[in-house]
Amino acid sequence: MNPTRIYVDADACPVKDEIYRVAIRHGLPVSVVAGNFIRVPQDPLIERIAAGSGMDAADDWIAERAKKGDIVITSDVPLASRCVKSGAEVIAPNGKPFTEQSIGMTLAVRNLMTDLRSSGEVTGGPKSYSPRDRSAFLSALDQAIRRIQRQRAQQPAQDQG
């Protein structure tokens, strides 16, 4: 069984350093995916992927590989939706999990806001990133890792029964 891999939608991710620390502590491989070159620590667990400059090249690269047992870090709602559908755990950099239960409404709100902005409505931007967001993210990432590890530990017992 392949280890849990963490996929990072890296272009605008404010928690890359936190992801690296948590991944190294748990011994988990990380794929840091960006449209072009991005600097990453020299560590055998961390791989840098330059997916290309196409419109959704990084998103497509992640969505094609993320599966059940993996974790995806992104604030991109359409990418989150694709990864949730493939069974991956998906977490926003502010710690908000994207789940099967929440992704439909999250996608609908995102599309509504996009439509409002394109029609000239001023909707305001996202709120600024705070220390509370960073703390919530670290907690959510640890919880996701522990949940996957528990599920994998129970898997052999279920397969035998």
Side-chain angles (χ1 to χ4, degrees), residues 55-116:
M55 180 70 163
D56 291 321
D59 295 355
D60 291 343
W61 195 96
I62 293 169
E64 289 166 7
R65 290 160 179 81
K67 63 190 178 319
K68 184 170 179 56
D70 290 330
I71 299 170
V72 176
I73 311 302
T74 186
S75 54
D76 183 296
V77 177
L79 173 60
S81 177
R82 293 168 69 186
C83 294
V84 164
K85 286 178 182 155
S86 71
E89 298 263 345
V90 185
I91 307 167
N94 65 3
K96 177 182 176 240
F98 293 101
T99 65
E100 286 182 16
Q101 294 76 27
S102 71
I103 196 65
M105 182 60 76
T106 304
L107 200 52
V109 168
R110 178 231 178 238
N111 292 340
L112 173 65
M113 298 306 279
T114 299
D115 290 346
L116 287 173

Side-chain angles (χ1 to χ4, degrees), residues 13-72:
C13 181
V15 289
K16 290 187 285 288
D17 290 338
E18 289 81 357
I19 295 165
Y20 304 148
R21 283 196 304 271
V22 171
I24 290 167
R25 185 174 72 232
H26 286 279
L28 299 177
V30 179
S31 294
V32 183
V33 186
N36 295 304
F37 178 84
I38 191 163
R39 191 172 299 282
V40 300
Q42 291 288 92
D43 189 288
L45 287 172
I46 301 170
E47 75 171 333
R48 172 184 48 232
I49 306 296
S53 57
M55 180 70 163
D56 291 321
D59 295 355
D60 291 343
W61 195 96
I62 293 169
E64 289 166 7
R65 290 160 179 81
K67 63 190 178 319
K68 184 170 179 56
D70 290 330
I71 299 170
V72 176

Side-chain angles (χ1 to χ4, degrees), residues 128-147:
S128 60
Y129 198 76
S130 72
R132 176 176 285 157
D133 292 328
R134 193 171 310 280
S135 177
F137 171 76
L138 285 167
S139 177
L141 181 56
D142 264 339
Q143 288 173 8
I145 291 169
R146 285 196 304 274
R147 186 169 41 255

